[in-house]
C-alpha cells in the first residue's frame, strides 16, 4: 500500500499574516487525522514561520528549490544542508517553472536531487511534457529522459528515497487538467521505467499528479491505480479547497 501524499506548492505567494491564516486550519486538520501525508512548500523566507506553526503536528514543510552546490560563493543560493538545518524535510526539484524560466537542465536537476539526499532531505522530482511535446507524440520520451538523468546520477535505489511528480506543463495553472486516463497512462509508464531498473522501487515509489488539481477533480485522479496523490499549486492557497483535496485522497 502506498500512502498518498498531498503537497501544496505555494509558488511565489504568501505573506507573514496570510500564511498564519492559511496554515492554521491545515495544522488543525492534520492533527485531527487525514487519509494522506500532507506537505506544504512555502517560499524560502517563510520556512521558519511555517515550520514553527507546523511543529509536532505531522504537517511536513519543504522548500520549492535548492542549490546543486554545498556551500561557497554562490550569491542568492540556498543549500540543502541549510534547508535541513532550519527543519525542512522535503524539497521540490525540477519543477517545470524552474526548468523553463530559470534554465535548469536535466543535469542540474539531477545534481539538486543528489544534493537533497546528501543532506537527508526528501526530494520530489518533477517531470512533465509541454503541450508541443504531447501533440508531437513525445510525452513518454520526454519524461523518460527527465527521469533517467536522475537515475543515472543517484541510481534507482536512491531514487526511491524521494518522490516523483508528473506535472504536464500544459495543465499547470491553466485549468486544463489531464484526464484520469492521461494521468494514469504516464504514471504507469514512469513506474515501468523505474521497475525495469529496480522492481521494488518501481512498485513502492509514490508518484503524484500535478496540474490544475482542484477539489472537484481530485477524487477521480486519485482513484487511478498509479496516482498516489497530488502536487497542488493554486488550490493549495485556499485552505478549504486544499483540505477537500486531502480528503479526496482516501
Ligand atoms: P496548479 O495546481 O496551479 O495548476 O499548479 C500545479 C503545480 O505546478 C504544482 O507544482
Amino acid at each position: 500500500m502506498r500512502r498518498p501524499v498531498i503537497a501544496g506548492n505555494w509558488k511565489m505567494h504568501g505573506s507573514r499574516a496570510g500564511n498564519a491564516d492559511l496554515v492554521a486550519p491545515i495544522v488543525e486538520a492534520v492533527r485531527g487525522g487525514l487519509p494522506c501525508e500532507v506537505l506544504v512548500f512555502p517560499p524560502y523566507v517563510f520556512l521558519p514561520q511555517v515550520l514553527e506553526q507546523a511543529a509536532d503536528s505531522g504537517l511536513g514543510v519543504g522548500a520549492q528549490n535548492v542549490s546543486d552546490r554545498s556551500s561557497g560563493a554562490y550569491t542568492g543560493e540556498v543549500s540543502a544542508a541549510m534547508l535541513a538545518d532550519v527543519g525542512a524535510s522535503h524539497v521540490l526539484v525540477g519543477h517545470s517553472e524552474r526548468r523553463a524560466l530559470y534554465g535548469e537542465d536535466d543535469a542540474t536537476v539531477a545534481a539538486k536531487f543528489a544534493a537533497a539526499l546528501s543532506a537527508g532531505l526528501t526530494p520530489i522530482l518533477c517531470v512533465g511534457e509541454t503541450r508541443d511535446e504531447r501533440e508531437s507524440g513525445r510525452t513518454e520520451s520526454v519524461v523518460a529522459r527527465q527521469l533517467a538523468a536522475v537515475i543515472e546520477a543517484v541510481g534507482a535505489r536512491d531514487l526511491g528515497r524521494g518522490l516523483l511528480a508528473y506535472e504536464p506543463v500544459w495543465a499547470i495553472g491553466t485549468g486544463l487538467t489531464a484526464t484520469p486516463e492521461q494521468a494514469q497512462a504516464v504514471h504507469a509508464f514512469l513506474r515501468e521505467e523505474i521497475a525495469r531498473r529496480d522492481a521494488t522501487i518501481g512498485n513502492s515509489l509514490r508518484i503524484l499528479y500535478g496540474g490544475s488539481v482542484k477539489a472537484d477533480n481530485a477524487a477521480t485522479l486519485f482513484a487511478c491505480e498509479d496516482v498516489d496523490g497530488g502536487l497542488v499549486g493554486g488550490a493549495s492557497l485556499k485552505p478549504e479547497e486544499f483540505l477537500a483535496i486531502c480528503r479526496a485522497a482516501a
Side-chain angles (χ1 to χ4, degrees):
M1 213 21 221
R2 299 184 294 264
R3 179 165 165 79
V5 180
I6 304 297
N9 174 9
W10 297 3
K11 308 195 179 182
M12 200 169 73
H13 296 287
S15 64
R16 283 187 62 82
N19 303 340
D21 293 342
L22 171 56
V23 175
I26 298 172
V27 164
E28 193 185 310
V30 169
R31 284 192 202 282
L34 285 170
C36 55
E37 192 177 330
V38 185
L39 309 170
V40 291
F41 293 82
Y44 284 137
V45 291
F46 299 130
L47 284 170
Q49 179 197 15
V50 176
L51 279 157
E52 193 180 320
Q53 271 194 286
D56 304 319
S57 67
L59 173 65
V61 181
Q64 298 172 17
N65 186 25
V66 64
S67 180
D68 55 336
R69 314 299 173 101
S70 54
S71 70
Y74 303 110
T75 302
E77 291 292 283
V78 174
S79 73
M82 291 172 188
L83 295 175
D85 188 35
V86 299
S89 54
H90 291 70
V91 64
L92 304 179
V93 300
H95 191 282
S96 63
E97 288 151 17
R98 300 295 320 168
R99 293 179 191 261
L101 304 173
Y102 299 96
E104 290 187 13
D105 59 14
D106 291 333
T108 304
V109 172
K112 290 183 176 206
F113 192 98
L117 288 183
S118 309
L121 299 172
T122 303
I124 303 186
L125 170 65
C126 306
V127 300
E129 82 288 3
T130 63
R131 177 192 291 274
D132 253 21
E133 288 163 344
R134 173 165 283 265
E135 286 173 355
S136 58
R138 286 180 288 153
T139 298
E140 291 192 347
S141 65
V142 168
V143 297
R145 187 202 75 223
Q146 293 170 334
L147 175 68
V150 173
I151 296 178
E152 274 158 31
V154 303
R157 184 144 291 273
D158 275 357
L159 176 75
R161 292 165 62 197
L163 299 165
L164 186 57
Y166 169 56
E167 295 205 304
V169 179
W170 48 272
I172 295 178
T174 57
L176 279 178
T177 316
T179 64
E181 294 72 25
Q182 286 172 322
Q184 169 57 28
V186 178
H187 283 228
F189 171 76
L190 288 166
R191 200 176 291 294
E192 194 49 46
E193 283 292 289
I194 300 160
R196 67 186 176 77
R197 282 122 161 162
D198 187 312
T200 308
I201 303 298
N203 235 340
S204 60
L205 190 77
R206 291 177 294 177
I207 309 179
L208 316 185
Y209 167 80
S212 299
V213 175
K214 307 287 177 206
D216 61 9
N217 59 28
T220 50
L221 286 161
F222 302 160
C224 298
E225 188 183 339
D226 291 300
V227 177
D228 306 310
L231 180 53
V232 183
S236 74
L237 300 171
K238 303 174 201 154
E240 283 320 308
E241 178 147 24
F242 185 62
L243 289 173
I245 292 168
C246 292
R247 293 191 188 97

